[in-house]
Structure formats: structure tokens, C-alpha cells
Amino acid sequence: MAACTDLPFRLIAREKGLAFSFLEMVSAQALVRENEKTLRLLKTAPGDRPLGAQLLGCDPDNMAAAARIIEDLGFDLLDLNLGCPVKKVTSNGEGSALLKEPAKAAKVFSAVKRSVKRIPVTVKMRKGFQDDSGEEAVRMAKIAQAEGLSAVTVHGRTQAQGYSGRADYAAIGKVKEAVGIPVIGNGDVVSAEDAQRLKAESRCDGIMVGRGGLGNPWIYRNLERAMTGSEDPPYVPDVAERRRTLLKHLELEVEHLGERLAALNMRRIILWYTQGLPNCKALRVAVCRTTDVVLIKRMIEDYFDALPCELPPPMAPILLAE
Ligand SMILES: Cc1cc2nc3c(=O)[nH]c(=O)nc-3n(C[C@H](O)[C@H](O)[C@H](O)COP(=O)(O)O)c2cc1C
């Protein structure tokens, strides 16, 4: 997820049980031009494996060149973005706009597949651009399969929906019925019950979690356990663990991105970890007013010191949109 799933986020998530992680999307054009900010987005570390990279673009030659770079950088998988709903992206014909251009998408898939030799190529798409039926995703998944892609992920919303309404798991099921390659379901999974419903309604082969992991890195192990038949109740971290995890997230931000960027990123990160907690507004406002990471650390410590032992479980800021 753009501006969310950076290296510190992924390291924390993996420590708490995430099995496979993706980088945020990067523009194929910017990557080929060796844009410095784009190269920074690809920053990883030895513990950050297995790891998929994702490319955004619609020009077959450009996507093929960028795909080669991704493979040479040593990523484990390459995903192609046919899901981004943002106007700035779709007005260039990229992201979810490709759902309306099956012939062009086929050329992109084919060019990328020819240029990548060792790693699997997958595609992530919305269920449609404007068409609510799920048929656009079905059509695109069949093209992906025909061009030799290894799997498809479907977010059960249209581009037109943005993040409103609820993800349509039946549409994901239509894709699953239509192709033989693995189908990964995505959208609104914030609990084991959601994951079980997604699996039951779509019969998908895997589950991708986006916003549900923000400030709740414990979700991955809880989902894994529920999906493998464990009867145990979900693990709920205590106040001390939540405090430790947030402070570790801050520490990793500083270590990998430097103090200034870390402080700016904390404005977002603090929202995730304090969702649903008492008296969080003052802390959130105070973090937004400083770029001093030592001060931020102290503010977090003071805030958690004053919290009661009994807290509501971690909850995702589910309304957060791109
Ligand atoms: C802030 C934000 C950034 C996102 N960035 C990406 C991205 O870079 N690539 C991508 O495939 N999806 C991206 N998404 C979409 C999510 O991966 C996911 O498909 C969507 O949020 C629905 O799943 P969820 O309900 O589990 O979050 C982003 C979503 C959000 C909210």
C-alpha cells in the first residue's frame, strides 16, 4: 500500500507472522528512468523476504524494461497493478483503467512475461472499472492466464466505488470459477470472520490483507490460525506489547529512513496504532506538530503510561483510502 507498507512496516509485520509481503506500487516509467525516489521505495533488507514488487504502467516496452530491473534486483515475485483507482493514474490509462483495455493489457502481460525469466508474474485488479458485475475481472483474469501469469488477486470493488460500500466476494468467486490459476481474494478483511467469509463465498486460494494490517500486525498470525482450523481465540496483545511494537516501528523508521522522514511518517503511523484507544486525539495532534523523534518517543511513552490495562483490541482504520 502506497505510503504505508514501507520497510519498517514490513519488518514489524513479518516479526508478528506475515507470510508474504508486497512493496507499494512503483511507476515503471520512473523506475526505468532511475528516479531516486522510486529507487528508495524499493529499499529492502535481508529479513524482508519473501517479497513481491509491484509495477504500475501501461506501455508494454516500458513495463518489460522495468520488469527486468525488478527481477535483477532480486525480488521474489512481480505483480502488475490493474487496481489503482486514483484519477491521476487512470487518466494516463494506468492502474484500473487497463480493465477497460483488454487488448492493451494483454500486450503488457505478454511483454512482461517475455522479459522476466526467473520469477512469477501476477496481476492485481479491481472487480471492474464501472461495471459492477465482476465480468471485467473475469475477462482480465482469463487474459492473464492465457499470457502465462501465475496468479490473480481481485479486490472486490470497482474503480468507480473507490473505497465505498463493501467488497463483493461473489465477484471474486466468479473469477475463481473462470480460471485455473490461483485466485487471491482481497477487500475488507479485518478479522478471522471476514477471512472465513471471503474464503466461503469465493472459494479463493489465498487472502490478501491491506488496511487490516495497519497498526495491527497481530492480524496476520490470527488469520493464519483461523484459516488453518485452529479453534483458539484470536491473540490480543496487551498494552505493553502494543507500546513496544509502536516504539519499535518508530525505531525502524529512524534506522531505515532517517529522523526527518520517520517523524513525518509517524503522523500516519500513530493514527493506525491508536485507533479506538482512549484520549488519543491530543497525542495525534502533538505528533503532527513536531519533527523531533526523541520528543515523539517520549510522547508515546507518556501516552501509554496513562492508558488503562484493559483496552479494546487493535482495530484497523478501515475507512482510510488512497
Ligand atoms: C493508502 C492505500 C494505498 C494503497 N496502495 C496500493 C498499491 O500500491 N498497490 C495495490 O495493489 N493496492 C494498493 N492499495 C489497495 C489495497 O492493496 C487493497 O486492494 C484495498 O485497500 C482493499 O483491501 P483492504 O480492505 O484489505 O485494504 C492501497 C490502498 C490504500 C488504502
Side-chain angles (χ1 to χ4, degrees):
M1 286 187 291
C4 300
T5 56
D6 59 7
L7 177 58
F9 175 97
R10 299 193 302 272
L11 291 174
I12 296 270
R14 290 178 192 281
E15 184 190 301
K16 303 292 180 191
L18 176 62
F20 193 101
S21 182
F22 284 89
L23 289 163
E24 64 181 87
M25 62 184 180
V26 296
S27 151
Q29 227 173 49
L31 181 58
V32 170
R33 280 204 222 110
E34 296 180 14
N35 175 286
E36 227 171 87
K37 198 172 156 222
T38 302
L39 292 174
R40 259 204 311 274
L41 293 178
L42 295 174
K43 185 171 177 187
T44 175
D48 185 28
R49 287 290 185 278
L51 179 61
Q54 189 188 56
L55 284 175
L56 181 74
C58 64
D59 177 76
D61 294 339
N62 207 259
M63 288 289 273
R68 211 165 307 127
I69 297 173
I70 292 292
E71 183 171 62
D72 289 345
L73 285 171
F75 291 101
D76 301 298
L77 179 149
L78 170 62
D79 189 56
L80 308 177
N81 184 313
L82 267 69
C84 183
V86 173
K87 285 266 152 52
K88 209 171 76 186
V89 166
T90 56
S91 58
N92 293 331
E94 299 178 340
S96 57
L98 271 175
L99 286 168
K100 296 182 297 181
E101 306 248 23
K104 196 169 175 186
K107 283 189 186 148
V108 169
F109 296 164
S110 155
V112 168
K113 260 309 274 182
R114 268 185 280 120
S115 88
V116 165
K117 302 285 177 252
R118 298 181 300 275
I119 57 175
V121 180
T122 59
V123 59
K124 175 159 178 279
M125 62 183 92
R126 289 206 166 216
K127 75 164 173 172
F129 194 76
Q130 278 179 327
D131 175 11
D132 203 41
S133 69
E135 289 306 324
E136 284 181 353
V138 167
R139 178 176 67 182
M140 194 55 70
K142 285 181 177 168
I143 294 171
Q145 175 167 271
E147 295 297 341
L149 268 55
S150 299
V152 299
T153 303
V154 183
H155 173 196
R157 284 189 177 84
T158 60
Q159 180 276 343
Q161 272 181 292
Y163 286 85
S164 65
R166 290 184 66 167
D168 172 2
Y169 295 166
I172 300 170
K174 281 189 184 172
V175 176
K176 172 65 190 160
E177 289 243 305
V179 292
I181 54 177
V183 174
I184 297 155
N186 168 244
D188 300 347
V189 172
V190 296
S191 68
E193 292 72 38
D194 297 329
Q196 277 154 346
R197 191 171 62 80
L198 169 54
K199 169 86 181 154
E201 289 182 18
S202 71
R203 295 164 310 286
C204 62
D205 303 286
I207 288 171
M208 186 181 289
V209 178
R211 293 167 294 175
L214 301 176
N216 184 12
W218 301 275
I219 192 174
Y220 307 112
R221 193 161 285 147
N222 280 334
L223 293 182
E224 193 83 48
R225 288 201 318 206
M227 299 312 283
T228 49
S230 167
E231 300 276 309
D232 295 343
Y235 171 74
V236 180
D238 62 15
V239 184
E241 185 176 357
R242 288 166 81 166
R243 169 194 167 124
R244 247 191 339 266
T245 307
L246 176 53
L247 289 171
K248 176 89 183 283
H249 204 138
L250 168 62
E251 193 186 304
L252 289 170
E253 286 280 333
V254 174
E255 183 183 329
H256 292 289
L257 307 171
E259 290 195 3
R260 193 182 146 70
L261 204 50
L264 295 176
N265 286 348
M266 284 312 285
R267 295 175 184 188
R268 230 181 351 259
I269 294 164
I270 204 83
L271 296 180
W272 309 339
Y273 280 91
T274 57
Q275 187 75 12
L277 295 186
N279 310 317
C280 61
K281 195 167 168 209
L283 172 70
R284 291 170 165 193
V285 170
V287 168
C288 284
R289 289 204 174 127
T290 180
T291 51
D292 180 342
V293 288
V294 176
L295 185 60
I296 293 175
K297 178 170 184 265
R298 199 172 325 125
M299 291 188 301
I300 292 170
E301 286 167 346
D302 291 346
Y303 173 74
F304 274 87
D305 281 346
L307 279 181
C309 294
E310 290 292 315
L311 290 178
M315 57 177 81
I318 192 67
L319 293 175
L320 186 94
E322 273 170 279

